[in-house]
Amino acid sequence: MRAPPTARTACLVWAATRVLLLLLVFHVLTLPGPDVTTDVSVIYRNWYEVLRTGSFPLDDVTWQYPPGAALPVLAPALLPFLSYPAAFFVLALLTDAAVFAALLRAGRGAGRSVAGAWVWVAGVPLLGPTAFARYDVMVTAVAVAALLTAARHPRAAGALAAFGALLKVWPALILVGTPRGRATRAAWLAALATGVLLTALFTAAMPGALDFLTAQRDRGVEVESLGALVLHVARQFGWEGEVRLHYGSMEFLGPHVEAVAAGSLVLTALAFGWLLWWRLRARRWTAATPADAAFTAVLLFTTTSRVLSPQYLLWLVGLAAVCLALRSWHMRGPALLVLAATFFTLLEFPLGFGHVVASDAVGVTLLVVRNGLLVAASLLAGAALWRSTVTAGDRPEPGPGGAGHGGARVFSPAVAAPVSRRVRPAGGRASER
């Protein structure tokens, strides 16, 4: 069967935009601002040389990642005929293609939509060359795979979530929306077992596997974060702090930075408390609810983080794409806001990063718009998740064609439980089996 026109068009646009990204990371074309590929050609390459010896980069303060991060850093060894940067970029492209194919396939089923594939097609190039110059595309691929398999294979989803968490922690959040009962037990137990096993293997094989747990305690406030806006404004009134390269990123250091960082942690704690309260109150699940909850959770934790690096937007694009692939139309607004925030992220890094570091009018405006879009997306996503699972009751939400959630099946723990069959033996009372 021939692919629908929308799918064919998506494939063509994907190919065209990815050629453009490759031209950028291979420096055939260049953008103003800092060279984003140096993370691969210098930092990742140096880590690669250390990891090959069987140890983590213990003396490098820029290594702040869980032990699984060693795998994507070492992955270019699979293509020994290419230089390290070239091999990394090719692997990033192949990972991107795999995510696109998975979303396209997921959108072809009954009650699904290719809108999710389009979100991925558009969102990745909106981030610019940063999308291929960080290993976050590999982490996002694992998270997308976990969410797309969650409905039919909760144990596999749990294992993938744990593996993703060992790459970069945040994929642990994608299990927050698993349906209560058997699915949650299966997914969470599989995640726990996988996490413990892999952590034990890394700890036994390589020293320093758990050093990441304390690696970021002395960090400042990254200049692009939500909390940093307070310091950007303070600089206009004579604040005596400074911006310096610290722990591998440009951060504010100086008076009151610890208070701003603490404020970010308070916001993150409040976000966690709200998610816990939502989990306790939720009583209605659809096939899209796990993706909706994962998208909302990562949005909240990303927006409130004291470190809001540009590549974090790739996580949100991937999760938004899954939501729309499952026809979760109430997440369409937050998804569009995330795409807009991704574009403004490109404008502030790398294009306008000099303005951001200088805290001038252009830089502060870009950050206000980008971070404002993320705040709006977080609030809208949280409200939509609450309405669809807590206050909607048992009444399906209208979607395209009149089906609840655009055709997604509605279920609850009671509905999902096996229904016993009553058999009446001859001459006896009804019994259950």
Side-chain angles (χ1 to χ4, degrees):
M1 294 180 64
R2 293 190 303 171
T6 53
R8 290 201 301 270
T9 304
C11 291
L12 291 174
V13 176
W14 179 88
T17 53
R18 274 41 179 193
V19 168
L20 177 60
L21 286 180
L22 287 177
L23 292 175
L24 288 170
V25 295
F26 281 108
H27 299 123
V28 177
L29 300 175
T30 58
L31 293 176
D35 180 8
V36 303
T37 64
T38 56
D39 272 41
V40 176
S41 59
V42 178
I43 298 176
Y44 285 15
R45 179 61 189 268
N46 290 340
W47 290 344
Y48 171 80
E49 297 297 340
V50 175
L51 290 167
R52 289 176 62 190
T53 67
S55 174
F56 289 100
L58 302 180
D59 298 325
D60 189 343
V61 296
T62 62
W63 179 265
Q64 306 152 22
Y65 305 106
L71 300 179
V73 174
L74 290 169
L78 298 172
L79 303 175
F81 48 89
L82 295 175
S83 66
Y84 183 89
F88 186 91
F89 299 144
V90 169
L91 291 174
L93 174 68
L94 294 176
T95 306
D96 169 30
V99 174
F100 172 61
L103 290 167
L104 201 58
R105 180 178 180 182
R108 299 281 295 278
R112 306 295 178 88
S113 170
V114 294
W118 273 109
V119 168
W120 183 256
V121 168
V124 173
L126 282 178
L127 192 60
T130 303
F132 281 3
R134 304 291 188 273
Y135 81 88
D136 295 81
V137 66
M138 289 83 165
V139 185
T140 304
V142 175
V144 168
L147 284 174
L148 291 179
T149 59
R152 294 189 177 184
H153 307 288
R155 289 185 179 85
L160 286 169
F163 177 61
L166 284 173
L167 293 174
K168 210 164 187 179
V169 180
W170 69 266
L173 292 170
I174 67 176
L175 297 181
V176 71
T178 52
R180 290 178 187 156
R182 184 180 303 172
T184 288
R185 289 193 297 273
W188 290 12
L189 287 175
L192 178 63
T194 303
V196 170
L197 176 61
L198 292 179
T199 301
L201 290 175
F202 275 113
T203 302
M206 302 173 71
L210 300 180
D211 285 2
F212 77 98
L213 294 173
T214 58
Q216 299 196 35
R217 62 187 174 187
D218 294 326
R219 293 199 66 164
V221 174
E222 193 171 64
V223 294
E224 297 162 275
S225 66
L226 180 63
L229 285 173
V230 176
L231 300 173
H232 280 291
V233 173
R235 289 182 91 181
Q236 315 306 316
F237 297 94
W239 178 66
E240 298 178 353
E242 61 180 341
V243 176
R244 277 201 327 220
L245 183 64
H246 189 239
Y247 282 83
S249 65
M250 300 302 290
E251 296 183 351
F252 278 116
L253 300 173
H256 312 301
V257 170
E258 290 185 1
V260 173
S264 296
L265 291 176
V266 169
L267 289 177
T268 300
L270 291 174
F272 179 81
W274 181 86
L275 284 169
L276 179 60
W277 180 241
W278 166 79
R279 178 78 192 184
L280 295 173
R281 291 290 307 278
R283 55 196 177 96
R284 178 179 182 268
W285 266 262
T286 72
T289 299
D292 292 349
F295 178 46
T296 303
V298 177
L299 250 176
L300 290 170
F301 280 79
T302 299
T303 302
T304 59
S305 173
R306 63 176 174 170
V307 180
L308 211 173
S309 298
Q311 61 268 24
Y312 290 13
L313 274 293
L314 199 60
W315 315 344
L316 303 176
V317 168
L319 298 181
V322 175
C323 291
L324 267 63
L326 300 179
R327 299 190 73 178
S328 179
W329 300 117
H330 52 265
M331 288 297 170
R332 181 165 45 190
L336 291 174
L337 290 174
V338 163
L339 289 179
T342 304
F343 174 66
F344 275 92
T345 298
L346 173 63
L347 294 182
E348 63 91 0
F349 183 88
L351 299 183
F353 198 58
H355 295 285
V356 171
V357 172
S359 300
D360 63 20
V362 173
V364 173
T365 299
L366 288 174
L367 287 182
V368 167
V369 174
R370 194 282 298 269
N371 291 345
L373 288 167
L374 289 178
V375 169
S378 300
L379 296 176
L380 287 178
L385 180 65
W386 188 273
R387 285 196 307 269
S388 64
T389 58
V390 177
T391 62
D394 296 327
R395 183 179 68 257
E397 287 187 6
H405 286 270
R409 185 169 67 93
V410 177
F411 61 96
S412 67
V415 175
V419 179
S420 61
R421 296 179 55 195
R422 293 184 178 272
V423 180
R424 184 180 298 278
R429 293 189 311 165
S431 62
E432 294 185 357
R433 69 181 181 186

